[in-house]
Amino acid sequence: MAKIVLGVGASHSTLMNTHWEETTHKAEAERFRDALYATRERIAAARPDAVILLGSNHFRGFWLDLIPPFTLGVGECNASGESGTPAGPQQVDVPLAQHLAAEIVESGRFDLAFSARLQIDHGQSHAIQYLLAGLDVPIVPLVVNVFAPPLPTFKRSEELAVALGAAIESFPEDKRVVVIASGGLSHQLPWPDWRDPHGEDEDFMVRAWLDGRENWAGYDVRRRQIIRAAEAAISPEFDNRVLDLFTTGKAAEVADYSTSELEAAAGNGAQELRTWLMMAAIMNYIPAERIAYEAIPEWLTGMGVVVLDPAGLPAQ
C-alpha cells in the first residue's frame, strides 16, 4: 500500500532565477534559498518513490480557451521552461497517476479533469528545480486554477484533497509518497480579471492568456516588463498568521477564506494557498515545522517553507 511520508509547502518566484544579482535583500534571499536546499535534503531522507506536485498555472500551460479548476497529469508532462526553470519532458509516475484519476472519479466524490499530455509552468517546475533536483523521483502533477476567475473555492479544494489522500492510500503497491505544494504566500501580481480588463497592459495580458497556446513565449518579454514594473504588496502579518495555522495544526481554517476575502487580505497571488491547504489536508492537518519566512520585495512575494512530517509526531 502507498504511504504518505512527508508534506512540503514552499513559495516560488521566477525572479529568484532572473534577478538574483539585482536582489538587494540578499541575506533574506540567501536564507530562503538555503531553506529550499535544506528541505530538499528532508525530501531525499524520506526516500520517496513518487511526489504529488500541487501547483498553479501562470498561463503557460493553460489558456483561456480551456481552464479546468483542477487537472491531474496522467501521462506525458512537459515543462515550459520560462525564466530559467526546467524545460522539456518530466518524469511522471503514470501507474500512480492513472490510479488516482480513476479512484477519484469512480468514488463519486469528484469529477476531475485529466491530461495525458500536460504542460506545466513554474507553478510546479520551480519546485522541481529547487526541491527535487538530483533526486530522480517521478511526479504526479496536479494543476489548480488560481488566476482565471471564477476560481474553485477553498472548501472545494479541500474536498478534492481528502479524496486525493484516500486514493493515494488505496494504491495497491508499496510506494513512499511525498506531497509538495508550490506557491504563495502574500503577493499581488499586475494581472487583471480577464473578464474586465482596463488599459493597454491589461488588454495585452488577456490577449496573451487567450491566444498564447501556440505562441506563449512571444508574449513573455512584455509580460515580464509589466511584472517587473509592479510594486510589491507583501503582508508579513498575514503570512505569519497563516504559517502559525500550519505549525499549530490548524491549517484547516484556511478553507474558511473566500476568494475575495483572501485577495483583500493578501493579494491575488495568495490564491495559490489553495495548494498549501490541499497538501495539509492530505497530511490530515498534522502540525508543520516552519523552515523559513522572508519578505522579499524584489520578488514581490512573502516567501515561506513548511514541512509536515508524520515521523516527527509523538507516538499514539
Side-chain angles (χ1 to χ4, degrees), residues 243-294:
L243 291 172
D244 286 346
L245 291 177
F246 278 83
T247 58
T248 57
K250 299 177 181 178
E253 293 183 21
V254 175
D256 294 334
Y257 276 105
S258 70
T259 297
S260 59
E261 288 170 342
L262 189 71
E263 181 161 351
N268 58 5
Q271 305 293 354
E272 290 175 325
L273 276 171
R274 285 166 174 79
T275 65
W276 284 50
L277 171 69
M278 293 173 70
M279 177 273 297
I282 292 170
M283 303 298 299
N284 294 315
Y285 293 116
I286 63 174
E289 178 185 352
R290 174 169 163 162
I291 307 300
Y293 175 71
E294 303 292 343

Side-chain angles (χ1 to χ4, degrees), residues 27-70:
E28 292 87 342
E30 290 175 348
R31 285 195 296 266
F32 179 76
R33 180 192 59 193
D34 291 346
L36 291 180
Y37 293 157
T39 302
R40 182 176 63 194
E41 295 305 311
R42 295 280 295 273
I43 295 169
R47 298 180 289 108
D49 299 304
V51 169
I52 308 298
L53 185 50
L54 313 172
S56 53
N57 160 58
H58 301 79
F59 300 101
R60 296 184 182 92
F62 287 84
W63 291 268
L64 289 175
D65 57 0
L66 182 62
I67 300 280
F70 308 97

Side-chain angles (χ1 to χ4, degrees), residues 94-104 166-172:
V94 173
L96 176 60
Q98 294 185 358
H99 168 83
L100 298 181
E103 282 294 305
I104 290 170
I168 294 169
E169 293 180 347
S170 73
F171 188 70

